[in-house]
Amino acid sequence: MKRIKIGKLEIISLLDGFIKLDGGAMFGVIPKPLWTRLTPSDERNRITIAMRPLLIIHPDANILIDTGIGNKYDEKFADIYGVDRKPGIENDIKKSGFTPEDIDIVINTHLHFDHAGGNTIKRGNEIFLTFPNATYIVQKLEWEIALNPDPRSKASYIKENFMPVKESGKLKIIDGEMEILSGVKCIKTGGHTEGHQIVVIDSDNNGALYWGDLMPTIAHLKTPYIMGYDIFPLDVMREKEKYIKLVQEKNYISFFEHDPLVCCGYIAGEGKKIHIQRME
Ligand SMILES: [Zn+2]
């Protein structure tokens, strides 16, 4: 678990666990001989990805970005996605010195199950909000699409991950760019989903960018290395290039939500020489 000071804020990279997704789907049109150099696949052609929510300790609130996959899946789902959730995000929150009740704000980059699954938790046969005192922030377009997904995205939106949030009155819909608290900004990028957002953190001239699924792993650094899941691939490439420029200009730390090994680092170089500088 990495803890990093950013100006007045402290940032803690959490781990909810790992899942396996089809390697081809994770790299779109990139041929397998190329992507397997970066990330190996198993006998079912799946690659392992992590789920790394981010905890921001802000003087005014504790903010959690994304919530992992949660605990509501059955055996079939666990087999398809190779779910390895030991011990899950709640444990990392406790190890950081907090409890789920201490979370004031949850930001969902989008509502796919590997990002919003931990919004709610199953105890016995009942579903509760995992973070009962939190306001959950979602982009307007993401909310609308989650309620009415296209046939290709349908399997990614599971209603019990987000409907209980709405029903409890804890949902806060935002539209476009918004500063949630001083130094913590949600920015809608679209691309992966139409309502996908990233989070930019800036405090006392230090900063970080949480990429969400705009750059899920460090193997997705180069422009055409994008996911087959992306709804608008050209938007993903354009937005990725735009925010690579930003993190380089401002010397921001990048947080990679799905990288199996690397939670964060600096993006250095450009063109063919672009690479990740890991942090100690
Ligand atoms: Zn994802």
Side-chain angles (χ1 to χ4, degrees), residues 21 49 110 112 114-115 192 212-213 216 227 257-258:
L21 293 175
I49 64 165
H110 59 301
H112 284 173
D114 52 326
H115 299 257
H192 177 64
D213 273 346
M227 293 187 274
E257 188 163 10
H258 285 316

